[in-house]
Amino acid sequence: MQKVKPKKHLGQHFLTDLHIAEQIAQSVKGHKGAQKVLEIGPGMGVLTDFLLQSKLDLYLVEIDRESVAYLTQKYPQLAGKIIEGDFLKHDFRQVLPDQYIIAGNFPYNISSQIFFRVLQERDQVTEVVCMLQKEVAKRIASPKGNKDYGILSVFLQAFYDIEFLFSVPPEVFNPPPKVHSGVIRLTRNEVKNLDCDEKLFFRIVKQGFNNRRKTLRNSLKPLGLSDELKSEAILDKRAEQLSVADFVSLTHKIALSWNQ
Ligand code: SAH
């Protein structure tokens, strides 16, 4: 079979190290008994080969027509399960009506957008095992107090336990990316809904990290804080010093002050 020519605009960097591909595939735990796995961006199937060795029911979504043609020929057993489309836009309800796992060596240019979609579908997505730009992987997995801790870390950590598994150097890709890569695992936690107004929570987190060097008293000014609230000690802190639980409690306080 003729190989797929890597296309830069689709973020195609094909992994060439089979041992690493195997390690990524084996990091899928099958949390909460999910039976189905959706692989995002299988490319030429280096990860697919190893995902197929598990008992999980595999689906692929790939935007590149040339890759889809390649995969269709390579995996006759996946007939009807290879979806040509954009993960960010495709409606998977027909094929994935229940809980499922996401795996993949992500197109790095859209990894944040992939995670925002995961958040929207958090009741279905029980686990994510993926490779992405190391810096972003570190940020997502970072605990509070760390300079890497940011908006996506708080949002994702609210609903997932996150582990940084291992780093991957650029040389094992064709073509090598300019950045180092990292593999992480997200496992859905028990939190169904946040114990506060979630929309407001998201707004506060975003606003707080907008000016991450400022104290929350300053960065949250645009939200209109009451004088009473302004004297709260938590507002002396900066966004990066707050855990998910701290943000939840702050959301309560702000909502309450508005209702008074
Ligand atoms: N898994 C392969 C390829 C990784 S490169 C490997 O490890 O070698 C990222 C892959 O994601 C490419 O095949 C690219 O075509 C695909 N891709 C890029 N944007 C996508 C999108 N929006 N939806 C689905 N796949 C996408």
Side-chain angles (χ1 to χ4, degrees):
M1 262 191 294
Q2 201 179 342
K3 288 195 172 167
V4 176
K5 222 171 82 219
K7 297 163 201 73
K8 204 174 169 191
H9 71 286
L10 294 178
Q12 287 185 333
H13 295 276
F14 297 120
L15 181 63
T16 53
D17 186 317
L18 299 187
H19 179 65
I20 293 175
E22 184 176 20
Q23 265 185 297
I24 298 173
Q26 285 179 351
S27 300
V28 174
K29 291 185 303 187
H31 180 61
K32 285 187 189 289
Q35 298 294 319
K36 293 187 175 184
V37 180
L38 176 65
E39 186 189 349
I40 301 177
M44 281 192 288
V46 62
L47 196 56
T48 318
D49 283 342
F50 293 102
L51 288 170
L52 278 170
Q53 290 177 10
S54 76
K55 285 192 280 305
L56 297 159
D57 186 16
L58 188 61
Y59 289 76
L60 313 178
V61 58
E62 171 58 66
I63 204 168
D64 176 33
R65 177 160 296 177
E66 191 188 349
S67 294
V68 170
Y70 181 93
L71 296 161
T72 307
Q73 238 195 325
K74 186 174 176 189
Y75 303 114
Q77 71 272 43
L78 291 181
K81 294 174 164 185
I82 305 176
I83 301 158
E84 182 180 338
D86 181 345
F87 167 77
L88 299 175
K89 297 192 183 136
H90 192 83
D91 182 349
F92 296 98
R93 266 175 302 185
Q94 287 261 314
V95 282
L96 301 166
D98 307 313
Q99 303 205 306
Y100 64 95
I101 295 161
I102 286 179
N105 170 11
F106 286 176
Y108 295 179
N109 49 338
I110 60 162
S111 52
S112 296
Q113 292 169 70
I114 292 177
F115 285 116
F116 280 109
R117 176 136 201 217
V118 166
L119 276 170
Q120 278 168 6
E121 293 181 17
R122 64 184 196 235
D123 287 335
Q124 278 185 265
V125 180
T126 55
E127 184 180 341
V128 182
V129 172
C130 62
M131 176 147 64
L132 64 166
Q133 184 175 341
K134 184 173 178 179
E135 218 183 284
V136 182
K138 282 273 181 202
R139 201 180 306 152
I140 289 172
S142 164
K144 71 164 185 178
N146 193 299
K147 68 170 173 33
D148 293 333
Y149 187 63
I151 296 173
L152 208 49
S153 338
V154 179
F155 287 178
L156 287 169
Q157 288 172 27
F159 300 104
Y160 290 90
D161 296 330
I162 305 178
E163 301 156 272
F164 184 92
L165 301 178
F166 54 91
S167 306
V168 180
E171 306 85 70
V172 297
F173 295 88
N174 173 40
K178 289 204 177 70
V179 294
H180 281 256
S181 302
V183 177
I184 53 174
R185 177 168 54 212
L186 284 71
T187 311
R188 186 74 172 91
N189 65 19
E190 298 301 326
V191 175
K192 192 101 184 82
N193 292 301
L194 292 178
D195 189 18
C196 66
D197 175 345
E198 275 184 19
K199 274 210 180 115
L200 182 58
F201 171 90
F202 288 124
R203 218 174 119 199
I204 291 171
V205 174
K206 273 192 195 155
Q207 187 76 44
F209 279 103
N210 247 343
N211 290 298
R212 57 185 299 144
R213 294 188 183 285
K214 291 190 182 173
T215 62
L216 290 162
R217 185 169 296 111
N218 281 316
S219 60
L220 298 183
K221 236 181 215 155
L223 294 177
L225 305 177
S226 68
D227 285 341
E228 199 181 331
L229 198 63
K230 278 186 198 151
S231 60
E232 291 271 353
I234 192 169
L235 293 175
D236 291 330
K237 296 192 176 186
R238 281 172 283 125
E240 62 195 33
Q241 296 173 288
L242 264 56
S243 66
V244 172
D246 295 334
F247 272 113
V248 169
S249 123
L250 178 60
T251 305
H252 268 304
K253 285 186 177 153
I254 293 182
L256 223 107
S257 78
W258 284 350
N259 291 333
Q260 267 166 4

